Amino acid sequence: MLSELNRDFGIKDRIEFTSGNGGLTQATLRDPLGNMVKLFLYGAHIASWVNRSFGEIFFMSPRSDFLIGKAIRGGIPLVFPQFGTGRLPSHGFARTSEWRVRSTNVSDSGAVSISMSLTDSPETRDIWPHRFTANIVVSLEDSLKTEFSVINSGETPFEFSNAFHTYFAVSSIDAVTVRGLQGTTYLDSLRNREAAIENRELITFSSQIDRIYQNAPDHLYIHDRPRKLQIEIIKQGLRDAVVWNPHAERCLQIPDLSPDGYRGFVCVEAGNVLPATPLPPGAAIQSAQLVNLSTS
Ligand code: TA6
């Protein structure tokens, strides 16, 4: 497996496949500038992004499982085809499925990318009776671009939700603000998804926040004051943004987070969450998230 992957998709000094946590196959992408991404083929799950100027950008819980069938707690879990709880496992089956490598590339500008796909199977059709192919393209340079597309390859329409459930590492949750959502309607998952309007320019985290901001602006900003870091999230073809931090009380109920694990991350999740997106037979949807870093 690893030798075939490296033979077919490895690129000297740029892309290598190895056995990672829990024996999961991981791809390591290194660009010429010194940036690095590690991602598992399991869930097409980006686990780490080390930027040459700002270090590790994503949070990974020290208590995360790396077991087939379990979600990984950190990095970018892929939400598809369901958001949250429902008929399918929480956040759908994409993040607990083995994705296939389709191609790898180094662009003229030095961006290193990998493309992976997930197609329906007897197991997925058992719980979600639709034909589809989902694709992920991850492109690394000083910024990180993740593209998600899905085609309805069946004869019947379906609807789905998708999101990049990104765990951004922060110095401390009480020193972090999220900007760009003022005036946006959100569904408050702590109040049975009651609708309200965000009235703050800067969202702060003194208690649990779990909100689905609908039709949110495409440019969002996380500011980590102690780290003097601004993270810009540019979403394309992704209507919504979920903002989540469990804070102390909820954190105690999440076994793969340490009791104070909430202090080390904020989730800002670009996606098409609610309402679900209808997809007629033969139709496809393209979307992308671009994350830029700067000193602030
Ligand atoms: O995106 C926010 C959320 O839906 C929260 O309600 C919380 O459940 C979080 O996702 C984590 O979900 P998970 O299934 O990964 O434990």
Side-chain angles (χ1 to χ4, degrees):
M1 173 69 171
L2 286 179
S3 55
E4 284 88 351
L5 281 167
N6 283 306
R7 180 196 64 205
D8 298 342
F9 301 108
I11 300 178
K12 186 175 181 322
D13 300 332
R14 299 287 167 254
I15 297 184
E16 183 187 17
F17 296 86
T18 57
S19 178
N21 302 65
L24 297 177
T25 301
Q26 76 178 11
T28 301
L29 280 59
R30 288 185 176 83
D31 82 342
L33 298 172
N35 301 298
M36 183 182 73
V37 150
K38 287 185 183 287
L39 62 95
F40 296 112
L41 303 195
Y42 178 66
H45 192 117
I46 297 174
S48 169
W49 171 23
V50 178
N51 175 269
R52 62 174 168 145
S53 305
F54 298 101
E56 179 60 69
I57 302 302
F58 295 149
F59 168 85
M60 179 59 71
S61 171
R63 295 191 180 186
S64 178
D65 291 307
F66 295 94
L67 299 169
I68 302 297
K70 299 277 285 193
I72 296 169
R73 181 72 64 187
I76 308 184
L78 269 182
V79 176
F80 176 79
Q82 170 186 292
F83 182 86
T85 53
R87 284 182 45 249
L88 301 178
S90 175
H91 290 324
F93 50 71
R95 66 178 181 173
T96 53
S97 297
E98 195 73 12
W99 289 58
R100 286 184 54 207
V101 180
R102 308 300 289 195
S103 66
T104 52
N105 183 54
V106 181
S107 74
D108 295 344
S109 67
V112 182
S113 64
I114 185 168
S115 167
M116 290 169 282
S117 67
L118 177 69
T119 298
D120 62 280
S121 64
E123 293 75 21
T124 65
R125 291 192 296 272
D126 267 353
I127 55 174
W128 197 59
H130 302 296
R131 312 298 304 265
F132 72 93
T133 294
N135 288 288
I136 276 285
V137 181
V138 179
S139 306
L140 169 69
E141 36 195 350
D142 270 340
S143 59
L144 182 66
K145 184 170 188 179
T146 47
E147 299 168 83
F148 175 84
S149 60
V150 60
I151 182 165
N152 179 346
S153 43
E155 308 293 324
T156 56
F158 61 68
E159 57 180 39
F160 70 96
S161 295
N162 71 287
F164 296 109
H165 195 299
T166 312
Y167 285 76
F168 291 98
V170 297
S171 308
S172 172
I173 192 61
D174 48 26
V176 165
T177 57
V178 170
R179 177 168 58 86
L181 291 164
Q182 189 171 30
T184 304
T185 296
Y186 65 87
L187 306 179
D188 191 339
S189 299
L190 302 179
R191 296 172 182 271
N192 202 24
R193 290 191 173 161
E194 187 182 290
I197 295 180
E198 181 55 69
N199 57 23
R200 295 175 295 175
E201 183 198 359
L202 300 178
I203 296 171
T204 55
F205 299 86
S206 56
S207 61
Q208 181 177 193
I209 286 188
D210 193 353
R211 299 177 175 180
I212 304 167
Y213 289 86
Q214 296 182 299
N215 303 306
D218 284 344
H219 291 246
L220 304 173
Y221 304 88
I222 300 168
H223 185 227
D224 185 334
R225 198 170 51 250
R227 213 171 164 189
K228 295 186 175 48
L229 169 63
Q230 175 180 275
I231 299 172
E232 178 188 28
I233 301 161
I234 303 175
K235 55 188 183 69
Q236 299 156 344
L238 296 166
R239 300 182 315 265
D240 310 323
V242 177
V243 176
W244 178 59
N245 182 281
H247 226 269
E249 188 179 339
R250 174 86 183 276
C251 196
L252 292 173
Q253 301 160 0
I254 301 176
D256 52 3
L257 278 176
S258 56
D260 63 353
Y262 71 94
R263 304 187 60 79
F265 72 88
V266 64
C267 283
V268 179
E269 309 159 30
N272 289 314
V273 177
L274 281 179
T277 303
L279 200 59
I285 291 256
Q286 312 276 343
S287 63
Q289 166 179 275
L290 178 65
V291 181
N292 294 319
L293 308 173
S294 60
T295 304
S296 69

